[in-house]
Amino acid sequence: MRDLTNYNLLGNNTFNIDVSCRRFVEIESPDEAKHFFSSLTDADRPLLIIGGGSNLLFTKDYDHTIVRSQIKGIDCVSESANDVLLRCGSGEQWDDVVNFCVKHGYYGAENLSLIPGDVGASAVQNIGAYGAEVKNLIAKIEAVDTTTGKEIEISSSECQYGYRMSRFKTDWRGRYFITHVTYRLQKTFKPNIDYGRIREQLAAKGIAEPDAADVREAVINIRMAMLPDTKVLGNAGSFFVNPVVSQDQFKALQDKYPSIPYYIIDEGDNSQVKIPAGWLIEQCGWKGRTLGNVGVHERQALVLVNRGGARGNEIVELCQMICNDVNKKFGIEIKPEVNII
């Protein structure tokens, strides 16, 4: 276990915000986690558990304790004719898990390629992209209760997963330190290529019948073309959650804006419509704009960037201006996906 005081967090947040915390702890095993969480003091709380820092925006120094998992390992714990269970340490990088799956013929994660962050964060955030969500892969989660230091197993159904949401972000916030996530992958490949520009990417390479590696490569190429390198421009990827509206609200918007893009979700009597937040932001004229040290990326309006030396509050102010403009023009409230500290 690494335990540091007055730790600079510049290397632990992809927005590249220069802040520090009172105490920074990296945990390498469940036993270390149990010991650590059994010995916390009031000065450590409120505790902040982070992953790779790709979904964080610090607005000031953190005066308490930050914990990160460095628990590693990708292990096949069960296999049948149809599927396989992979138990992964929460400190593994998510994209390394996807790469492992594709190389070993385990399917279902390929559309989630190149999403930044750690395995533990995948279960907290319910990461999703290109028609896939990690909730559909998670079999169980192992964690340590931060209030008691005891180990616990949590089923996927207990997490109440929704669009970019779970109980880890609501009533369980800060309560559990995830040590391992077990994913169920399929051994038969069923391509999911009708979302985004995946089919277009494959067609450009003359691939009519893609395998999982082809889909992974297409997703990686799309993401790399849209998202700036965090080493060049500090950012957290998609800053905003795509808003979900009722059918009635969408029809009113479509009458006024016939070209509005959309995706139907929860098909049936209660179906709703997801609208790309990037399109809404672009229609308000924000794409490519710069205000001082911060701005909106020129290739993807969902991405707010630190153009150098920005403070977290500058990004928050930009976020608020964008949200206000979208609400004023469309009557839609968009919200940050990023965790603002």
Side-chain angles (χ1 to χ4, degrees), residues 42 47-48 59 70 97-98 113 117-118 122 129 174 178 202 228 230 234 236-237 239 241 251 257 280 292 338:
D42 289 342
L47 196 70
L48 178 62
T59 60
Q70 288 289 359
V97 174
V98 180
S113 292
D118 295 348
S122 79
I178 296 173
L202 295 169
T230 58
F239 193 91
V241 177
K251 288 174 183 176
Y257 306 98
L280 299 171
V338 171

Side-chain angles (χ1 to χ4, degrees), residues 8 16 20 41 63 96-97 128 152 158 169 176 200 211-213 216 245 250 257 289 295 314:
N8 186 278
N16 301 332
S20 300
T41 67
D63 294 331
D96 289 343
V97 174
I152 184 173
E158 291 177 271
K169 298 178 71 174
Y176 296 116
E200 176 186 327
D211 59 20
R216 172 168 163 78
V245 302
F250 174 71
Y257 306 98
R289 286 181 61 181
E314 293 179 80

Side-chain angles (χ1 to χ4, degrees), residues 213-227:
D214 294 326
V215 173
R216 172 168 163 78
E217 183 180 3
V219 170
I220 288 173
N221 289 339
I222 294 168
R223 293 185 67 89
M224 290 183 67
M226 288 195 309
L227 302 176

Side-chain angles (χ1 to χ4, degrees), residues 178-210:
I178 296 173
T179 60
H180 292 86
V181 181
T182 299
Y183 304 98
R184 186 183 304 277
L185 288 305
Q186 302 304 308
K187 298 178 77 173
T188 301
F189 177 58
K190 296 179 181 179
N192 178 8
I193 59 175
D194 291 324
Y195 198 102
R197 293 169 38 228
I198 299 177
R199 190 179 289 276
E200 176 186 327
Q201 281 276 324
L202 295 169
K205 292 193 172 185
I207 301 173
E209 297 183 3

Side-chain angles (χ1 to χ4, degrees), residues 54-162:
S54 59
N55 201 44
L56 287 175
L57 175 58
F58 286 102
T59 60
K60 57 186 177 181
D61 291 338
Y62 194 75
D63 294 331
H64 306 281
T65 296
I66 292 179
V67 186
R68 183 183 181 188
S69 172
Q70 288 289 359
I71 300 172
K72 304 295 186 179
I74 303 175
D75 301 299
C76 175
V77 294
S78 177
E79 188 171 0
S80 71
N82 299 317
D83 56 34
V84 60
L85 292 177
L86 287 185
R87 181 175 182 258
C88 304
S90 55
E92 288 284 352
Q93 289 197 12
W94 166 251
D95 193 58
D96 289 343
V97 174
V98 180
N99 186 48
F100 180 94
C101 292
V102 170
K103 286 187 173 181
H104 287 80
Y106 306 145
Y107 307 122
E110 54 278 349
N111 285 48
L112 303 176
S113 292
L114 211 63
I115 294 178
D118 295 348
V119 159
S122 79
V124 172
Q125 181 71 5
N126 183 25
I127 57 172
Y130 302 106
E133 288 184 295
V134 80
K135 69 175 184 178
N136 297 317
L137 303 178
I138 293 175
K140 74 172 182 178
I141 295 163
E142 296 166 62
V144 172
D145 190 322
T146 63
T147 63
T148 65
K150 294 182 178 179
E151 288 184 284
I152 184 173
E153 287 192 1
I154 304 169
S155 68
S156 180
S157 60
E158 291 177 271
C159 297
Q160 297 179 6
Y161 282 121

Side-chain angles (χ1 to χ4, degrees), residues 163 238-245 249 253 260 273-284 286 296 301-304 316 318-338 340:
Y163 174 56
S238 297
F239 193 91
F240 298 95
V241 177
N242 292 322
V244 176
V245 302
Q249 186 177 2
L253 286 166
I260 186 171
V273 182
K274 180 166 64 177
I275 300 172
W279 184 87
L280 299 171
I281 295 165
E282 186 172 352
Q283 300 309 301
C284 292
W286 279 102
V296 180
L302 271 180
V303 179
L304 305 189
V316 172
L318 175 62
C319 165
Q320 291 170 341
M321 294 172 69
I322 292 170
C323 291
N324 289 340
D325 281 0
V326 169
N327 195 17
K328 184 177 179 180
K329 185 177 180 70
F330 296 102
I332 293 176
E333 183 180 357
I334 60 172
K335 298 179 180 180
E337 179 175 342
V338 171
I340 299 172

